[in-house]
Amino acid sequence: MSASSIWIEAVRLLYFARVREAVGIDAEERKLPPELQNVGDCIVWLAGQGANYAAAFADPSRLRFALDQQMVWEETLLEDATELAIFPPVTGG
Amino acid sequence: MKVVRVCSAPLDSAAELAPLAMLGGGAVASFTGICRDQGGITAIELEHYPGMTESSLAALVDDACARWSLLGAVLIHRVGYIAAGQPIVLVGTAASHRAEALDACAYLIDRLKTDIPFWKKEHCADGTADWVDAKASDDERAERWTE
């Protein structure tokens, strides 16, 4: 599969807690540009989608990520994932 | 016996732990996390990631069962609004001897704090509310178990 054909399907983006409040929505479907390789690329691209996104994603060191419901890192390749969740460090328990 | 649950209803710790005492082992350990009634906090609001929360809690219990010889484990976490003084999370473990039960119980709550997608927002008596920040000390406690 070529890089340009990977993103035929939209990716489901989920936002939680402080990130959800900053973006202003809890979920959306997005077609990501094919040049985005990893989770960090996606965060940089999303930060350019509006003032609310810029505020939510200003400091990636304060963000955590799950790709298809598995915890991942900024360096993790998006590949053919269908769901990317972005949220602050967890605080349960 | 494994019980993993995310629920919005109040937790009855005694009822949830009772089955652990009937598995034939000599030890049951438990931890209950409570919404603290301090600093003007009236309630905690618990948000989570439906789907991932349940699967990652189940994987965590499986990890504990692979690491220690357990007869049973209970891991129940509330979501939604929880009033000050009420339980938020219950961890229970049963084993033949106390060391396994105590260590597995500590492992489950330490790892839950850093690995499972829950977020707390504190509501105060003056009407303000703010998200709780993650603590470095929680990361350090969880890190102990990777050694």
Side-chain angles (χ1 to χ4, degrees):
Chain A
M1 188 183 270
S2 72
S4 60
S5 67
I6 290 174
W7 299 110
I8 293 168
E9 304 274 339
V11 171
R12 182 166 175 77
L13 300 170
L14 302 178
Y15 310 122
F16 291 101
R18 203 172 254 154
V19 174
R20 172 177 56 73
E21 290 184 349
V23 175
I25 51 175
D26 59 8
E28 62 180 322
E29 303 269 334
R30 285 265 187 172
K31 288 195 175 175
L32 304 182
E35 64 270 21
L36 302 185
Q37 297 280 305
N38 62 31
V39 171
D41 296 339
C42 187
I43 298 308
V44 170
W45 180 77
L46 275 171
Q49 300 301 303
N52 52 331
Y53 291 90
F57 304 128
D59 183 1
S61 73
R62 298 188 64 182
L63 299 174
R64 298 294 181 269
F65 319 99
L67 207 50
D68 287 341
Q69 305 198 359
Q70 297 290 323
M71 292 287 195
V72 296
W73 303 98
E74 280 181 74
E75 299 74 24
T76 306
L77 295 176
L78 295 166
E79 297 188 319
D80 54 356
T82 59
E83 187 171 286
L84 172 63
I86 307 165
F87 43 79
V90 304
T91 55
Chain B
M1 177 205 142
K2 294 178 190 174
V3 174
V4 174
R5 200 160 74 239
V6 175
C7 64
S8 52
L11 262 172
D12 181 346
S13 299
E16 301 290 354
L17 294 172
L20 290 175
M22 298 160 71
L23 299 173
V28 172
S30 71
F31 171 83
T32 305
I34 293 167
C35 177
R36 58 175 56 84
D37 193 357
Q38 292 169 352
I41 297 168
T42 54
I44 286 272
E45 183 183 355
L46 246 303
E47 182 168 329
H48 77 120
Y49 184 170
M52 181 175 171
T53 311
E54 292 84 351
S55 61
S56 55
L57 284 172
L60 181 55
V61 168
D62 287 345
D63 284 350
C65 290
R67 194 163 170 157
W68 289 279
S69 181
L70 298 180
L71 298 167
V74 170
L75 189 49
I76 304 172
H77 204 297
R78 282 188 70 189
V79 293
Y81 278 84
I82 298 159
Q86 287 201 1
I88 298 170
V89 60
L90 175 68
V91 182
T93 52
S96 293
H97 302 282
R98 72 181 182 283
E100 289 94 340
L102 286 167
D103 287 353
C105 184
Y107 173 85
L108 287 169
I109 187 61
D110 286 349
R111 292 277 314 275
L112 182 148
K113 286 240 169 208
T114 59
D115 295 5
I116 313 294
F118 290 107
W119 300 273
K120 280 196 194 100
K121 190 181 219 180
E122 288 175 344
H123 290 261
C124 293
D126 62 5
T128 60
D130 201 9
W131 295 99
V132 173
D133 286 319
K135 295 188 201 74
S137 58
D138 285 338
D139 287 336
E140 287 158 16
R141 282 195 68 85
E143 195 67 26
R144 294 183 308 154
W145 299 107
T146 61
E147 287 162 9

